[in-house]
Amino acid sequence: MTPYLFIGPALLLLVAFSFLPIIIALVISFTDMNIGGLANWSQISFVGISNFIRLFQDPVFLQSMWNTLLYVVIGVPLAIISSFVIALFLKLVTDRMSSTFRVIYYMPSITNIVAIAVVWGFLYNQQYGLFNYLLSMVDLQAVPWLEHPFVAKISLIIMAVWKSNGVSMLIFLAALQSIPRIYYEAADIDGANRWQKLWNITLPSMRFATFFVTVTTLIAWLQFFEEPFVMTDGGPLNGTNSIALFIYQEGFQSSEFGYGASASFVLFAIIIVATLVQFKFRKADQ
């Protein structure tokens, strides 16, 4: 009985703030609930799966799915590789330099997205931005960083990768520091070079850290919201709209709670499938 008393409060909180909202959102997704329905529940009607059918006929939602796919395909590998390279660099430098650069690389992760948007908005400004100024110095044309639908997606990915490096870098760095030095000493005796040590010792020893970073990074990029919301509001021409931003627009800006909830469950299903696939690959790898 005593173990249940200890886990009881945590279990109650988990049910109240995680499972119960999911069940309520699932029920709402099968209704036409809007802001009027909040005041008078009699106005809410059960509509079955019509919200889900409408979603896959909505060009804005389909565009959001395509944009999210591009964010994941381009952004996730870039975020993981850049974090690993930074961690590897910090492992090679002196302790003092490592401490300094850890602070520098981690700062964007805890900086408010609005402050970041102000700075990067200046960098991306087509007329007065720093990036276009640097391009003009080598006689290259100005780039519409946030004005062209595809270029704007790439611009948001660059900013998000820069912002997300801090946490993943710390995880990789901790994993690098936990590798026993005896492995490298044995490799030195055998005459292995740096690439052989990286490929045969470092990368295999970091499988679990890489798997953890991959899963969490993928889930975070599937929920890509803050950057397009603050920087472009989904524009231009819905070119940067993500599924998470679509849910916010429908649920809170248009007050179509039922429609927004159905979109959230499509995203939920995508995340579950993507996570299960990664666990399947992980199990096969073991």
Side-chain angles (χ1 to χ4, degrees):
M1 188 64 186
T2 305
Y4 296 106
L5 289 176
F6 278 107
I7 66 172
L11 196 60
L12 284 175
L13 289 174
L14 184 67
V15 170
F17 294 105
S18 294
F19 295 144
L20 193 58
I22 292 173
I23 294 170
I24 293 173
L26 180 62
V27 173
I28 292 174
S29 69
F30 293 111
T31 69
D32 62 351
M33 185 176 179
N34 55 27
I35 195 165
L38 285 177
N40 185 359
W41 289 12
S42 63
Q43 295 181 11
I44 302 173
S45 301
F46 180 75
V47 296
I49 61 170
S50 62
N51 281 332
F52 292 93
I53 295 173
R54 181 183 160 197
L55 272 178
F56 290 98
Q57 295 173 341
D58 188 339
V60 178
F61 180 72
L62 296 178
Q63 177 71 44
S64 304
M65 287 188 72
W66 172 247
N67 294 338
T68 304
L69 177 64
L70 278 181
Y71 290 140
V72 170
V73 170
I74 300 174
V76 171
L78 280 178
I80 295 172
I81 293 171
S82 59
S83 301
F84 177 75
V85 171
I86 293 169
L88 206 57
F89 164 73
L90 295 181
K91 181 72 168 55
L92 296 175
V93 299
T94 62
D95 289 344
R96 189 169 182 177
M97 284 184 66
S98 178
S99 300
T100 305
F101 280 103
R102 262 183 288 176
V103 174
I104 292 173
Y105 284 118
Y106 191 70
M107 281 297 288
S109 301
I110 56 172
T111 304
N112 187 282
I113 183 64
V114 177
I116 289 175
V118 170
V119 175
W120 280 80
F122 165 72
L123 298 176
Y124 282 144
N125 188 286
Q126 190 170 355
Q127 288 185 310
Y128 310 107
L130 178 63
F131 292 153
N132 279 344
Y133 172 73
L134 294 175
L135 291 176
S136 68
M137 293 178 70
V138 290
D139 294 329
L140 292 176
Q141 290 186 342
V143 176
W145 296 103
L146 298 176
E147 287 75 17
H148 186 278
F150 182 75
V151 178
K153 273 193 279 286
I154 302 300
S155 303
L156 293 185
I157 288 171
I158 294 170
M159 186 183 77
V161 167
W162 171 80
K163 185 177 183 298
S164 66
N165 274 336
V167 177
S168 301
M169 175 268 297
L170 287 182
I171 295 171
F172 278 133
L173 189 59
L176 282 170
Q177 291 173 338
S178 68
I179 300 174
R181 290 186 58 82
I182 191 171
Y183 292 169
Y184 295 104
E185 291 170 357
D188 289 333
I189 293 172
D190 290 338
N193 58 36
R194 287 189 176 183
W195 285 109
Q196 288 170 327
K197 285 188 278 188
L198 175 67
W199 187 256
N200 295 308
I201 298 175
T202 306
L203 292 179
S205 301
M206 296 182 65
R207 281 180 182 166
F208 183 75
T210 306
F211 172 71
F212 177 78
V213 170
T214 303
V215 171
T216 53
T217 304
L218 179 65
I219 292 173
W221 280 82
L222 283 171
Q223 298 175 334
F224 198 59
F225 171 75
E226 292 176 328
E227 288 79 4
F229 175 64
V230 175
M231 293 288 288
T232 60
D233 197 22
L237 303 174
N238 291 313
T240 59
N241 212 350
S242 64
I243 300 178
L245 182 56
F246 177 86
I247 294 167
Y248 173 80
Q249 290 169 340
E250 294 299 327
F252 295 98
Q253 293 183 336
S254 302
S255 298
E256 291 200 52
F257 302 132
Y259 192 47
S262 60
S264 72
F265 270 90
V266 172
L267 177 60
F268 177 74
I270 293 172
I271 291 174
I272 292 293
V273 170
T275 306
L276 289 177
V277 168
Q278 289 180 86
F279 272 93
K280 187 74 178 175
F281 277 115
R282 168 70 177 169
K283 192 174 180 181
D285 186 47
Q286 286 178 329

